[in-house]
Each structure stands twice: as C-alpha cells, then as structure tokens.
C-alpha cells in the first residue's frame, strides 16, 4: 500500500530542482466496494477487528522509504478532502486521483478536483483498465473539451489557460 505515493515521493525527493514539497495523500484507507465483495481483494486488506489494516501498511511503507517529512496522510473521503483544500485555499499543482471504481464516483471526483487544480497543473489517475474509471474520465474530458493522455494503466489531463 502506498506504492504510488512512495514512487512519487521518491521521484520528487531525487529532483534537485525541487527544494521542498509535501505530498498530501487523501484516502479513507478502507477500500472500495470491490475490496469488500471480492475474496481476493478482501484478503489483500488484512482485516483485523472488522477494519482493514491498509492505513498501517501505508504508514509502514512511507516510514521504510524515509518519506515521513514529505508524505502526509489525511484519512478522509475524497469529498471532504476537496472541501478541506478549498476551505484552506490550497490549490495543488499536481493531483493524483486514485479514484473509486464505481460508475459516476470518478466523475464526481474529477469535477471536484479539477476546480482545485492550478492552471498549468496536471491531474493524474490510475486504473484506466477499470471500465467505470475509463467511462467517467472519457465523459469528463468530453463534457469539458479536454484531452487525456493514457500510458498503460495511468491517465493524465493537463489544465491550461485555454481549458481552465
């Protein structure tokens, strides 16, 4: 758990042109519906006393990679996370959206986080192979006249002055 945050955190740490950074990770760490209904996914969560231990594994990975000064977990829903950023007037340059896998939820998250993304920023997501994610991303770019770049299972949308 935390592979994306670890990879991004390490890449930013190695980039000498970036003096300081904070990677805010907004997640419930409770898993999605698929994690609760599919046996193979449920086992991956390591449920103890009725709760997944995904958060604890995430923290262990961040600590093991010496990223505790740069990667900050914020355990909440994506909706509350977006409202928090808006309330605090925090507008990220890069947003990595590890979205829900249910039709319509990814679209809602895209709408929320697109408004927070700075012009010139990049919205990144994964799970392109999931039909619900792919359909919502395509619907979002179509309704907003945007372009998406897809590399393997990861997608990118750049926010320019023309599409802000």
């Amino acid at each position: 758990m935390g592979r994306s945050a670890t990879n991004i955190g390490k890449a930013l740490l190695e980039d000498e042109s970036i003096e300081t950074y904070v990677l805010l990770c907004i997640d419930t760490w409770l898993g999605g519906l698929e994690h609760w209904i599919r046996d193979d996914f449920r086992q991956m969560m390591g449920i103890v006393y009725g709760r997944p231990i995904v958060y604890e594994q995430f923290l262990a990975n961040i600590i093991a990679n010496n990223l505790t000064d740069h990667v900050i977990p914020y355990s909440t829903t994506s909706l509350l996370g977006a409202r928090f950023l808006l309330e605090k007037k925090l507008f990220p340059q890069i947003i990595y959206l590890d979205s829900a896998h249910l039709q319509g939820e990814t679209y809602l998250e895209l709408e929320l986080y697109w408004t927070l993304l700075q012009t010139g920023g990049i919205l990144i997501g994964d799970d392109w192979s999931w039909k619900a994610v792919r359909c919502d991303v395509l619907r979002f770019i179509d309704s907003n006249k945007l372009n998406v770049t897809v590399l393997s299972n990861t997608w990118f949308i750049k926010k320019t002055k023309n599409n802000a």
Side-chain angles (χ1 to χ4, degrees):
M1 299 298 140
R3 185 176 21 199
S4 298
T6 300
N7 289 339
I8 293 168
K10 287 166 70 175
L12 291 171
L13 198 58
E14 292 171 3
D15 188 334
E16 294 178 9
S17 67
I18 300 172
E19 291 182 31
T20 60
Y21 75 90
V22 172
L23 181 61
L24 179 65
C25 298
I26 298 171
D27 200 319
T28 62
W29 285 280
L30 294 174
L33 177 61
E34 69 277 2
H35 294 98
W36 290 94
I37 62 174
R38 288 183 46 182
D39 289 338
D40 55 332
F41 281 17
R42 192 170 52 254
Q43 289 174 0
M44 182 179 67
M45 292 195 307
I47 298 172
V48 176
Y49 301 117
R51 263 183 85 78
I53 59 167
V54 175
Y55 179 71
E56 289 78 2
Q57 185 60 58
F58 175 86
L59 289 179
N61 291 340
I62 296 306
I63 292 167
N65 284 281
N66 199 29
L67 293 169
T68 55
D69 290 338
H70 302 285
V71 177
I72 309 297
Y74 179 30
S75 184
T76 191
T77 65
S78 60
L79 177 61
L80 290 177
R83 289 182 176 173
F84 169 80
L85 292 173
L86 188 59
E87 179 69 27
K88 295 295 184 180
K89 296 180 179 19
L90 298 171
F91 302 101
Q93 296 171 324
I94 300 172
I95 297 174
Y96 183 91
L97 185 62
D98 185 6
S99 65
H101 298 127
L102 298 173
Q103 190 84 36
E105 285 192 42
T106 300
Y107 188 85
L108 175 61
E109 292 170 333
L110 286 164
E111 288 284 342
L112 287 169
Y113 284 93
W114 185 254
T115 61
L116 291 167
L117 186 66
Q118 288 183 27
T119 299
I122 300 174
L123 184 57
I124 307 167
D126 63 1
D127 296 332
W128 184 257
S129 61
W130 284 78
K131 182 180 179 185
V133 171
R134 190 172 54 254
C135 287
D136 281 352
V137 171
L138 292 172
R139 180 176 151 219
F140 178 77
I141 65 162
D142 185 54
S143 64
N144 291 283
K145 297 177 178 41
L146 303 169
N147 296 310
V148 64
T149 301
V150 179
L151 299 172
S152 186
N153 201 35
T154 304
W155 51 269
F156 308 83
I157 305 171
K158 183 157 176 70
K159 190 172 190 178
T160 66
K161 289 181 183 179
N162 296 334
N163 64 23

